[in-house]
């Protein structure tokens, strides 16, 4: 075996010192039995093939190649591959003048189907460049005008993916990995040259089918698909889809390659390659033939593949899809958008007609927006509204709901209504004034509101999902019609507001059901924005019906997905002077106010954004009081004047700016129901605009430094003054927050002291009561104690009197002699209330009491007199 020097980059390796060995290696019987591979001088074979001046040269050359083929009958070693493919190239070059070399080239190619052999594990890396260049040569050999040779090249490529093992093992060698050839084909760019070879095979069906088979295998990798895309494979293959082929392989393999290209390379580029009239006409003819003549499952599968490929191409607005206008497709589809005619003989069953009808409406949703003129000429709006009127009517119509489009519409017209509304939504969202004006003139707004109200009363649990979709589409259509148009908002009026209020009153638990309530809620919020805001009568009616309360209830659910939209609506509503009273009057759980809710949302948002605050919510960094963690990670970089910076984008990407706007319109100074923590946060919110302006000026200053620009002295002083002023505001707010926190701490201490004082007073009073009770027990249980207490009492009474009586004064005795009590006594008797059993209760003197006879006559008994006792007959200790 010849030795080769280390290859240089981009150059095939060549031998420097050919070994002096005979052309034919000598293999003994023992060595042949062991499968040994002896060296062979390939350079001498190459030199022999390059000679041209001998008479019997062709015979010697063919014999030498034949011996080479026999010698390498079990596969080619990687180290010899470059020289062997050079020999193959020389043989292919002689075929034009010497046809006998076809067999030689064919034999060498046949051996290429076996796995390559390596002597060392590192051979796959060492000879990777040689291998890639050699495999790439297979694509170049397709230019040789030999059908037999081209087919063998394709077979060889297919064998890369289905390699057969060698007939016997060769001592000292092992097979290269199964994927090695595939990897080298990708590196060498074989797929690209194989695509280019298709241009040589216009009228040669057999060779073309083999090339497509090879490309089908090659297109299973992303690298090869990219190479094929660069060679315009999509357009080359698609343009010949309709070529005659009795076997049907051409269409099958071509469609498989197109699918692989769409999935494994740039989809946009492939669509662009297919967006030409030649490809579309070919797809059209193939689809028509399969649709009309195909009867096998295989044919239907191919038909569906072609249809999907065509649909994907239609995503490109530049695709020449002009078969539609000339064929009056829109008019044909609209013939199905009408109520079924009774007593008319048709060729379709009821279920088939229903499916055709739904398919036609679904197709119009995609086609009509592209052909507005055709749509208006067919009076599309009138047809749609008339069909919607039939969908809403009570006509007896039994739908089967068996098809994909009929899901959820069994026994009703909801499926028809759903697809008709989708069509109407697609037309409205074109924002074409001709279409929208025509719809409004035909009473679409009132009709849709009426349909919405009817769906509320007709829906049940089984049809809930489809009804929610219908309601969502109705609200989206109304939003599209009324946006930026005050007269249409006035038509929407109070009936439309009532519909919106009905949705807002939905049980919040349903928003987690997954049946479309979230979509309905978003559609409703969009309708508030587009159909109510800006129309003062509708705004006032919405406020009167407590719509703001409902919005705040939704906001209190703390669902991030719709907080931003609700706050945006609140900002706009606050322009109405009547809104403030409603917002301040709202109370949530635990008597929470709207201001407290908004401040709570601010704190939650800042926590999620990673804004630096201490445990009390106080500013930490006075230079960057609003900075989020994302802003901290981003480095300031110079941007064009029309590109928003990170600080500007922050305003739109979170809800802080909207909360600031709402609280600002409510007046920062008079917000009810705030805690100390809320006031600390409110200090930051109040200065949000100042902080944001300072943040943007700081970005400008930093960009100037990065661009190494030196502002004039005046501008520099102004920039520094602005930066300093912004920082001072931060310090002032931080100081104010500290005062609030300290004041609250003092207030907490005072409140705690008051509570303790109240507890102490309670305990003291309880002790006094206990002591009084103990004294009372002592007086009633011990005569000496009672006498002592009596003496003390008399002494106290005596000490309270005047020492000298005024002249002519009359003295009245206030004491009862001989009374042994220690409580004040007089000529007054205190009686407890007479028991109800004797008096008969509070109604005893009324006519009601006389309607019943008393059981014991007690209800009419009264105590006539009370005898006053002057003096007790005997002493009693109390």
């Amino acid at each position: 075996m010849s030795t080769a020097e280390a290859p240089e980059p981009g150059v095939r390796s060549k031998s420097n010192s050919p070994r002096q060995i005979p052309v034919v290696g000598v293999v003994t019987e023992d060595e042949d039995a062991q499968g040994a591979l002896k060296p062979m001088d390939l350079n001498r074979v190459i030199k022999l093939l390059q000679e041209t001046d001998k008479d019997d040269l062709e015979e010697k050359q063919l014999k030498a190649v034949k011996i080479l083929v026999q010698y390498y009958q079990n596969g080619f070693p990687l180290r010899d591959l470059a020289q062997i493919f050079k020999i193959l190239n020389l043989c292919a070059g002689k075929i034009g003048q010497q046809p006998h070399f076809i067999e030689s080239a064919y034999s060498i190619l046949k051996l290429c189907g076996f796995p390559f052999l390596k002597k060392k594990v590192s051979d796959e890396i060492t000879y990777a460049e040689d291998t890639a260049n050699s495999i790439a040569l297979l694509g170049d050999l397709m230019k040789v005008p030999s059908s037999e040779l081209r087919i063998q090249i394709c077979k060889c490529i297919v064998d890369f993916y289905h390699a057969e093992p060698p007939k016997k093992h060769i001592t000292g060698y092992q097979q290269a990995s199964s994927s090695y050839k595939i990897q080298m084909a990708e590196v060498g760019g074989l797929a690209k040259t194989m695509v280019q070879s298709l241009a040589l095979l216009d009228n040669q069906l057999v060779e073309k089918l083999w090339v497509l088979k090879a490309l089908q295998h090659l297109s299973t990798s992303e690298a090869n698909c990219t190479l094929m895309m660069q060679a315009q494979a999509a357009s080359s293959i698609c343009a010949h889809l309709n070529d005659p082929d009795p076997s049907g392989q051409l269409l099958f393999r071509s469609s498989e390659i197109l699918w692989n290209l769409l999935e494994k390379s740039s989809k946009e580029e492939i669509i662009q390659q297919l967006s030409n009239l030649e490809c579309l006409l070919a797809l059209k003819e193939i689809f028509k033939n399969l649709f009309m003549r195909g009867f096998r499952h295989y044919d239907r599968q191919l038909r569906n593949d072609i249809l999907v490929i065509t649909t994907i191409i239609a995503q490109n607005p530049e695709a020449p899809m002009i078969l539609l206008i000339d064929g009056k497709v829109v008019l044909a589809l609209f013939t199905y958008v009408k109520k079924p005619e009774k007593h008319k003989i048709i060729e379709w069953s009821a279920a088939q007609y229903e499916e055709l009808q739904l398919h036609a409406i679904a197709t119009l949703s995609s086609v009509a927006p592209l052909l507005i003129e055709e749509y208006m000429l067919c009076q599309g709006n009138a047809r749609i509204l008339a069909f919607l009127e039939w969908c809403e009517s009570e006509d007896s119509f039994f739908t089967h709901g068996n098809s994909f489009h009929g899901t959820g519409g069994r026994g009703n017209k909801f499926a028809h209504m759903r697809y008709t509304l989708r069509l109407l939504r697609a037309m409205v969202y074109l924002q074409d004034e001709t279409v929208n004006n025509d719809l409004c003139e035909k009473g679409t707004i009132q009709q849709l509101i009426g349909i919405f109200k009817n769906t509320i009363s007709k829906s049940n649990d089984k049809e809930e999902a489809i009804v929610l979709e219908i309601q969502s589409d109705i609200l989206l259509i109304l939003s599209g019609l009324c946006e930026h148009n005050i007269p249409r908002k006035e038509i929407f009026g109070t009936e439309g507001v009532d519909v919106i209020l009905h949705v807002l009153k939905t049980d919040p638990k349903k928003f987690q059901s997954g049946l479309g309530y979230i979509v309905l809620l978003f559609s409703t919020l969009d309708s508030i924005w587009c159909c109510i805001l800006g129309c003062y009568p509708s705004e006032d009616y919405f406020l009167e019906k407590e719509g703001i309360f409902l919005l705040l209830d939704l906001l209190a659910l703390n669902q991030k997905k719709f907080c931003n939209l609700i706050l945006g609506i609140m900002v706009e509503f606050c322009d109405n002077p009547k809104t403030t009273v409603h917002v301040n009057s709202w109370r949530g759980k635990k008597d929470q106010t709207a201001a407290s809710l908004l401040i709570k949302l601010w704190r939650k948002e800042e926590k999620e954004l990673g804004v630096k605050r201490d445990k009390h919510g106080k500013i930490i960094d006075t230079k960057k009081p609003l900075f989020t963690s994302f802003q901290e990670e981003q480095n300031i970089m110079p941007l064009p004047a029309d590109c928003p910076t990170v600080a500007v984008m922050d305003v739109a990407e979170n809800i802080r700016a909207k909360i600031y706007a709402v609280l600002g319109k409510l007046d920062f100074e008079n917000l009810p129901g705030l805690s100390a923590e809320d006031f600390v946060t409110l200090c930051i919110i109040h200065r949000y605009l100042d902080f944001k302006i300072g943040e943007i000026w700081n970005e400008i200053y930093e960009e100037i430094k990065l661009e190494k620009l030196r502002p004039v002295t005046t501008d520099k002083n102004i920039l520094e003054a602005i930066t300093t002023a912004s920082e001072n505001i931060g310090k002032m707010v931080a100081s104010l927050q500290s005062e609030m926190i300290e004041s609250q701490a003092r207030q907490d201490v005072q409140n705690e002291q008051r509570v303790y004082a109240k507890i102490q007073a309670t305990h003291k009073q309880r002790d006094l009561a206990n002591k009084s009770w103990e004294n009372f027990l002592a007086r009633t249980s011990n005569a000496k104690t009672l006498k002592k207490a009596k003496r003390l009492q008399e002494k106290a009474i005596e000490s309270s009197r005047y020492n000298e009586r005024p002249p002519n004064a009359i003295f009245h005795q206030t004491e009862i002699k001989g009374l042994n009590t220690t409580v004040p006594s007089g000529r007054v008797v205190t009686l407890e209330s007479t028991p109800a059993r004797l008096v008969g209760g509070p109604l005893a003197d009324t006519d009601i009491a006389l309607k019943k006879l008393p059981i014991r006559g007690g209800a009419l008994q009264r105590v006539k007199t009370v005898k006053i006792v002057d003096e007790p007959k005997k002493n009693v200790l109390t």
Side-chain angles (χ1 to χ4, degrees), residues 756-771:
Y756 282 133
K758 189 175 181 180
I759 293 171
Q760 288 174 348
T762 303
H763 281 285
K764 186 176 181 181
Q765 188 66 29
R766 189 177 297 139
D767 292 341
L768 292 173
N770 291 337
K771 189 175 181 181

Side-chain angles (χ1 to χ4, degrees), residues 333-356:
L333 291 171
F334 264 123
T335 58
Y336 292 97
V337 187
K338 61 182 179 180
K339 67 177 182 179
E341 299 179 9
K342 298 181 180 179
H343 311 297
K344 182 178 180 180
I345 300 175
I346 55 175
E347 57 182 330
W348 308 104
S349 67
Q352 290 172 331
Y353 186 79
E354 176 193 348
E355 187 167 354
L356 278 172

Side-chain angles (χ1 to χ4, degrees), residues 486-506:
I486 300 299
R488 293 177 191 170
K489 292 182 181 182
E490 292 173 351
I491 296 173
F492 184 80
T494 57
E495 290 189 6
V497 175
D498 287 335
V499 165
I500 289 175
L501 292 170
H502 171 80
V503 179
L504 292 179
K505 292 175 182 177
T506 303

Side-chain angles (χ1 to χ4, degrees), residues 59 97 174 190 261 298 307 369 397 414 426 453 473 548 612 639 689 721 869:
E59 185 178 350
Q97 300 296 326
Q174 57 181 335
L190 175 62
L261 289 172
Y298 166 79
L307 182 60
F397 179 74
F414 283 144
K453 290 182 177 179
D473 281 340
I548 285 293
K612 293 179 180 178
L639 293 172
L689 187 59
V869 180

Side-chain angles (χ1 to χ4, degrees), residues 44-60:
R44 293 193 63 178
V45 178
I46 293 171
K47 187 176 180 181
L48 180 63
L49 289 171
Q50 289 175 338
E51 293 179 0
T52 57
D53 55 352
K54 292 185 179 179
D55 296 337
D56 57 347
L57 185 61
E58 181 178 348
E59 185 178 350
K60 290 181 180 180

